[in-house]
Every structure is written in C-alpha cells, then in structure tokens.
Amino acid sequence: MSKAGRSELSTELREYDREVQLLKHGCSVLQWDQETYMPPAAAEERAEQLGLFETLVHDRIADEKLGELLERAGASPENPMGSEDLPPRDRALIRVLFREHRKARRIPRELVGRMARAASTGQTVWRAARAENDFSAFKPQLEELVALAQERAELLGYEEHPYDALLDQYEPYMTTAEVTRVFEELERGLVPLVARIAEAPQIEDEFLYREFPEEVQKQFGTRVLHEIGWPAARGRLDRSTHPFTISLGRDDVRITTRYERAFFNSALFSILHEAGHALYELGFADEIRGSALADGTSLGIHESQSRFWENLVGRSRAFWTRYYPLLQETFPTALADIEHEAFYRAINKVTPSLIRVEADEVTYSLHVILRFRLETALFGGRLTPAELPDAWREESRRLLGVVPERDADGVLQDVHWSIGGFGYFPTYALGNLFAAQFTEALEQELGPLAPLLERGEFAEILAWLRRNIHAHGAARTAAELVLDITGRKLEGEPFMRYLHAKFGEIYALQ
Ligand code: ZN
C-alpha cells in the first residue's frame, strides 16, 4: 500500500469509527437519563428509543462497508491487527473493530431483537419474583434467557467451552480454563482465611449505622472526589438506585451513588468505586480519545480500577489517618466517641453473608466463584435452570458456610441473569486480582502506598495508573497489560498476600 493510500485508509477507518462512537454516546445520554431523572411515565418510549439506537449501532458495526475497510487494511482471522505497515494506533483500532465486526456479523439482527425483548421482560419478571420470593415465577423466563445465551454462544463460536464465548463478551480473550485456574487458587486461599477470621474476636461496627445526614455525606464525598483528582469539569455526580459510571462523551463521564441516612458505608465507598471507573475513562491518551480504543480493555481491568480506589485506597488505614479527623468533624454526633482505629476496623469487618453486593473484601470473591461455578455448569450441560436454587444452596454452604433460606436471598438476588448477562460475574473477582497485582508493581516503583496516602499524594498515584493502564485504553489487551506491568500473567497470589497482610493484622491472626 502506498503512503497516501495508507493515510487515506486510516482517515476512513477513524471517521467510520468516530460515527459509531457518537451513536454510542447518544445511547449513553438516554441511559443515564433513564437511571437518574427520567419521569416514570417515560419508560415505555425510552425503551423504544434505546432499542432503535442500539440496533443502529449494531448495524453500523455489522455493515459490509466496515468489512471492506478492514479487508483493505489487511485484517483477517490470522492477522486481526491488519497490515504491518500501518501505524500502531491504527493496528490497535483495527483489532478492536475487526473483533466487533466479526461478532456483529455472526449475530443476526432478529436475535439481537429477541435478546433485547427477553432481557426487558426478564428484568420485569425477575423483579416481581424476587419481591415474592418465587423462583418458579422466574423459571420460564430464565430458561428462555439461558437458551438464547446458548444460541448466541454457538453463533459466536468457541474453542473449548461454550462459556468461553459468553465470557469473551466482557473479558476479551480470557478463557473458562484460565478463570477456573485462578479461581481454584483463590478458593484454596480464601476458604481457610474466612474460617480463621470467624474464630477470631468479632469487630464492633454498630456506629456505622447511626445518623449520617445525606447532604453532609454528599459534601464529604465530593471533597474526597476532588482531592483524589476527579475533574469536576468533565463529569457529574448524581444519585441512582444502583450506583454506576457511564461515558456520555470524551469529556463527560458521569457517576452516581446512593445515600443511606442510617449507614455510612453505602455512599462514600460507592463514590470511590465509581470514581475509579471514571478516572479510567477520563485517562485515555489524547490520540485515542473519542475512538473505539477509548474504552476499558476488559471489565476485569475496569473493575481493578474501581476496587483500587474503593478498597486498597478507601478502606486502608493510611487513607483514614488522613481523613478521619475531618470525618469526625463532619459527623460529630455519630463519630465523636469513636477512635480512628475502631473506625478502620469497622469498615473492614468480615462476615460471611448471603448477599454479594454487601460482602466484605475477603468473602466477596467467594460469591463470584459460586456464580461462575453455576454458570459454567449451566452452559457445560451439567445443570438445568430448574436445578439452580438447590445448586446455589449447596455451593453457598460449601464456599461461604451460609445457606439462604429464601431464594430471594439466594439464586434471585442479582439482576444479571434476568437480563441475560451470563459471563459477566467473573470480571468482579478478576478485578480484585488485577488490582492487587498492579498495586504490587506500583509500590515497587513509587514505594509503599500507605505513606503516599497519608500525605495525600494522590496525583502521583493517579499519574502512575494513567501512564501504565488508563492511557492505553483498549489498545492493549488485559493479558498484555498485566504482563507489561508486572512481568507475569494474572495470578491469585498478590491478592491473597494483600488480604493476609491486612486482615491478619486486623484480626490478629497468627
Ligand atoms: Zn464496578
């Protein structure tokens, strides 16, 4: 290809991609509004609007015109990054677009529509079934959603396990076998640690359930957000039932939280969690901003950024050495009689519980392993949807030592399956692992995290994350990132080392 030809092709690809991104951001505006300020009566037409936008995005990506551009760029299954004489940025873009294009071509439009309808009905039926604690009401819907996911997996294709195809939608290039390997390692470390903590004297955390006025929580949360480097001019903080982060544009990444008057942890830790996601999306390098490369490279990597700020920073002793005096001043009625150390221990209390979203740092990943095990059994043909409630109880007893009495606190607790999100769960625990492994590398370069946090040197920490992780966006895969940064592939040990050091000390384990 001539130099002029190459540059023309680059421009065409970038322009094509830019339009897709603009459409996606249009979808995001509608979604953000739906979850925050939309009046309830608008729900019906909003679903239609979103359905149309999503089909437009799908059509654009599946379009033969994009296929031709990619072919001209030399992209093929054997050479997914295209011609070697193209600039690296374009080759990375080609990899992402070629991947999306091939997937979109394999899923007929008619199936996209069926899945969207099944997800919409699924969510409504699930909500009612959970409220009524009635799994049988949700079962037919669940069976349809599983069948659709199976159909999707077959169309997308996989090498070893049908679940590979589902996982790949959220954690590109990761396989079921690899997740099984790290989760087995994790389970071997976590189960005995939880047992030892259960035998240790328990932690008092009653004061976290005192009165924390919402407005004051918001002021405190906003102050922390600014200090860790969240740029207010490029985002918003609003409230929603379930906290989330969404990109509406290259300079507009919004987060939400929820405030509970009688529980401190809820708002602040959600704010830090979502800020971690937002800082990732706001940290893409200039040359990839606004393109398909300006995206989290995988949900596991995305989650590593949220967990880093929520847990490794926000639940550390050093962070509260800095902020606890201010927190006490901010909430004198609730916290005047509580020492820094007591507060630190309370926000890190470990209790095996039934509900994933309320779980602590130690037991959280066990909730995820449970779901991963059931999902791989479902799609490996070893379990039917009807058998899920019993299988859930069995796994919960084995992994967490607790058994839900009601399906509402067991198999019905999460929204994911009701919208067909099979393959999503593992990314939550992978995020914990990536975060711990990255942090060890960060500490090798910058020195221990604790003194940096005590001194409030968030800019230095954020600059490291930008340089090593955020700037690349989707231009590097998760596996490439972890290898580049840590010199190793993903492993469970750094996370277990982190947990042992932190909770061994909190619970005075020998
Ligand atoms: Zn998250």
Side-chain angles (χ1 to χ4, degrees):
M1 210 183 317
S2 71
K3 201 170 167 210
R6 282 203 301 272
S7 125
E8 193 192 316
L9 182 59
S10 286
T11 310
E12 276 185 68
L13 267 170
R14 288 179 190 202
E15 279 172 2
Y16 194 98
D17 170 46
R18 184 66 190 134
E19 277 191 19
V20 175
Q21 300 315 312
L22 289 170
L23 273 174
K24 282 188 178 175
H25 288 154
C27 274
S28 300
V29 178
L30 295 172
Q31 273 163 351
W32 173 80
D33 177 65
Q34 175 176 285
E35 302 300 323
T36 51
Y37 295 104
M38 185 184 81
E44 208 179 315
E45 190 172 334
R46 181 57 49 90
E48 267 184 69
Q49 293 169 333
L50 273 166
L52 176 62
F53 261 83
E54 276 159 23
T55 328
L56 288 174
V57 170
H58 177 266
D59 289 350
R60 282 271 162 151
I61 294 172
D63 201 309
E64 263 173 43
K65 192 173 165 223
L66 177 59
E68 281 160 24
L69 283 172
L70 289 165
E71 200 177 312
R72 268 170 58 204
S76 67
E78 299 71 42
N79 189 21
M81 298 187 77
S83 162
E84 274 172 30
D85 36 306
L86 290 165
R89 182 218 180 271
D90 285 339
R91 300 194 72 215
L93 180 65
I94 289 164
R95 171 160 70 180
V96 169
L97 294 178
F98 185 62
R99 194 183 128 84
E100 282 194 40
H101 176 70
R102 292 188 79 205
K103 281 181 185 255
R105 298 286 293 181
R106 286 175 184 183
I107 305 292
R109 204 162 184 237
E110 161 279 322
L111 181 60
V112 176
R114 264 198 295 149
M115 287 190 309
R117 282 191 299 279
S120 171
T121 322
Q123 202 176 350
T124 313
V125 173
W126 163 76
R127 231 176 266 287
R130 187 174 71 159
E132 301 286 315
N133 186 37
D134 182 5
F135 177 77
S136 65
F138 178 52
K139 194 177 73 104
Q141 210 59 45
L142 182 63
E143 283 166 343
E144 188 193 343
L145 287 156
V146 169
L148 282 168
Q150 273 161 342
E151 192 178 340
R152 189 180 169 87
E154 293 305 323
L155 288 165
L156 289 170
Y158 51 85
E159 275 176 25
E160 279 182 15
H161 197 296
Y163 191 74
D164 288 346
L166 302 174
L167 179 66
D168 188 75
Q169 304 172 99
Y170 309 105
E171 199 59 33
Y173 310 106
M174 181 83 82
T175 62
T176 311
E178 192 180 1
V179 177
T180 305
R181 173 182 66 80
V182 286
F183 280 9
E184 278 174 359
E185 187 188 340
L186 202 54
E187 186 186 333
R188 278 196 299 276
L190 286 174
V191 173
L193 177 60
V194 173
R196 286 166 71 207
I197 290 174
E199 285 164 16
Q202 291 308 293
I203 288 172
E204 179 55 64
D205 69 344
E206 131 317 294
F207 52 85
L208 295 175
Y209 300 87
R210 292 176 180 170
E211 284 263 320
F212 297 91
E214 289 186 17
E215 248 334 284
V216 190
Q217 286 196 55
K218 189 175 174 190
Q219 283 161 18
F220 185 83
T222 311
R223 172 161 178 179
V224 172
L225 263 183
H226 292 311
E227 292 189 12
I228 65 170
W230 180 76
R234 299 174 68 202
R236 287 183 57 93
L237 167 65
D238 294 274
R239 69 176 67 215
S240 64
T241 321
H242 302 287
F244 66 93
T245 301
I246 189 165
S247 279
L248 278 65
R250 57 190 170 202
D251 288 300
D252 184 357
V253 181
R254 304 187 186 185
I255 61 176
T256 67
T257 190
R258 64 169 153 227
Y259 298 94
E260 282 183 46
R261 201 180 168 78
F263 184 38
F264 172 76
N265 293 12
S266 183
L268 185 73
F269 292 112
S270 297
I271 287 177
L272 284 169
H273 181 99
E274 301 308 329
H277 284 303
L279 289 169
Y280 186 14
E281 301 259 326
L282 289 163
F284 302 132
D286 284 345
E287 70 264 25
I288 64 169
R289 289 174 65 209
S291 78
L293 294 175
D295 196 2
T297 193
S298 78
L299 290 191
I301 296 293
H302 229 306
E303 198 65 9
S304 76
Q305 298 309 290
S306 56
R307 301 283 161 138
F308 174 80
W309 289 100
E310 178 192 353
N311 293 332
L312 287 101
V313 173
R315 282 191 168 86
S316 69
R317 180 185 276 119
F319 181 81
W320 289 105
T321 303
R322 179 173 183 79
Y323 282 108
Y324 195 62
L326 176 68
L327 190 74
Q328 268 186 317
E329 248 174 63
T330 311
F331 299 103
T333 336
L335 298 175
D337 60 332
I338 306 301
E339 299 285 332
H340 164 230
E341 187 62 20
F343 176 80
Y344 166 66
R345 290 162 57 84
I347 58 170
N348 285 296
K349 182 175 177 163
V350 176
T351 337
S353 63
L354 299 172
I355 308 295
R356 175 185 60 86
V357 296
E358 294 165 7
D360 54 81
E361 273 186 277
V362 181
T363 58
Y364 187 92
S365 302
L366 291 169
H367 288 265
V368 173
I369 293 173
L370 180 156
R371 288 150 182 74
F372 171 70
R373 203 158 276 146
L374 298 182
E375 287 187 341
T376 46
L378 263 182
F379 292 95
R382 287 177 283 118
L383 190 71
T384 65
E387 293 165 335
L388 271 176
D390 280 339
W392 185 291
R393 283 186 278 272
E394 175 63 28
E395 286 292 326
S396 182
R397 188 185 51 72
R398 210 173 56 77
L399 289 163
L400 288 151
V402 290
V403 181
E405 280 174 26
R406 308 162 65 244
D407 285 336
D409 298 327
V411 70
L412 290 173
Q413 70 178 267
D414 288 309
V415 67
H416 305 61
W417 291 345
S418 80
I419 52 173
F422 304 98
Y424 193 113
F425 281 119
T427 67
Y428 291 130
L430 293 173
N432 288 331
L433 303 186
F434 283 126
Q437 200 165 334
F438 290 151
T439 303
E440 286 192 352
L442 177 148
E443 291 192 312
Q444 267 182 13
E445 212 175 312
L446 304 183
L449 194 55
L452 294 171
L453 296 177
E454 275 175 26
R455 295 195 299 267
E457 288 175 17
F458 301 115
E460 202 183 332
I461 296 168
L462 184 55
W464 188 92
L465 297 171
R466 286 243 157 102
R467 195 163 63 241
N468 288 284
I469 302 164
H470 305 176
H472 307 295
R476 287 193 194 164
T477 66
E480 287 166 353
L481 267 187
V482 77
L483 192 64
D484 282 352
I485 296 170
T486 73
R488 308 179 67 90
K489 56 182 186 177
L490 177 68
E491 41 196 21
E493 269 171 40
F495 182 57
M496 287 313 303
R497 270 198 289 277
Y498 160 73
L499 291 182
H500 278 290
K502 178 173 177 178
F503 293 91
E505 197 247 4
I506 291 178
Y507 281 93
L509 305 177
Q510 299 306 313

